[in-house]
Amino acid sequence: MIMFTVPLIPVPKGRPKASAFGGHARVYTPAKTAQAEREFVSFANEHAPSEPIASAVIVRLRFVLPVPASKPAWWKAAALAGRIAPRGPKDIDNLAKLVLDALNRSGRYWLDDAQVSTISAQKCYGACPATHVEIETVAEPRTKAEWRAPTSKPRSS
């Protein structure tokens, strides 16, 4: 299992931008998203496996967000104690998308992001904003017998 923490404020993946030039449309990644992906990979690369993973993977993500400075002290204390969950503008799916795209573009974690079979993601508040990442390989069956589903025993009443 690969586990690491990227000590940066989590950034959601921005929507692709489009522009027209000379009658042709061009779609590109926003500069803020591209920069966030580069920064994420710069921290993550030191934890990359020696070779990209070839099997299916399970990815678990925990996004620790900073407590908003505009909130009163009682609210901040409750958020840091885990009694208030983030529900602000940072969509969890866009936070996960940035991480998965960054790791995929690095080319060091897996061969293709289609190998990600399960994603688990959580947002919470914390004193030290960061993204905690766990990547677990999935053992794939090698023989025909291993491919068969286990037989279930009848229920006893």
Side-chain angles (χ1 to χ4, degrees):
M1 181 179 313
I2 301 168
M3 295 171 54
F4 60 92
T5 298
V6 174
L8 300 170
I9 295 173
V11 176
K13 176 92 174 187
R15 296 197 184 276
K17 303 287 183 190
S19 65
F21 183 75
H24 299 313
R26 184 180 142 234
V27 179
Y28 61 94
T29 300
K32 182 179 177 183
T33 296
Q35 178 64 29
E37 286 181 359
R38 282 192 298 275
E39 289 174 357
F40 189 91
V41 167
S42 71
F43 281 97
N45 272 344
E46 69 185 68
H47 304 283
S50 56
E51 290 187 24
I53 299 166
S55 67
V57 295
I58 295 169
V59 178
R60 294 180 193 89
L61 304 169
R62 187 164 58 95
F63 301 102
V64 181
L65 303 173
V67 177
S70 61
K71 298 293 185 183
W74 67 266
W75 194 98
K76 291 177 184 178
L80 290 173
R83 293 192 302 267
I84 297 176
R87 52 178 194 202
K90 294 185 178 185
D91 293 353
I92 197 164
D93 58 326
N94 293 332
L95 290 167
K97 180 79 171 141
L98 184 125
V99 170
L100 294 175
D101 284 354
L103 295 178
N104 193 56
R105 284 202 179 98
S106 78
R108 300 191 59 199
Y109 282 87
W110 45 71
L111 301 172
D112 189 284
D113 58 357
Q115 292 169 241
V116 179
S117 64
T118 304
I119 300 172
S120 169
Q122 172 192 15
K123 293 191 298 188
C124 62
Y125 287 118
C128 300
T131 300
H132 301 279
V133 180
E134 289 182 19
I135 301 169
E136 181 180 346
T137 58
V138 176
E140 296 177 345
R142 295 191 182 111
T143 66
K144 200 175 208 181
E146 289 178 316
W147 280 97
R148 284 189 231 162
T151 56
S152 58
K153 295 181 180 180
R155 291 179 145 175
S156 51
S157 316

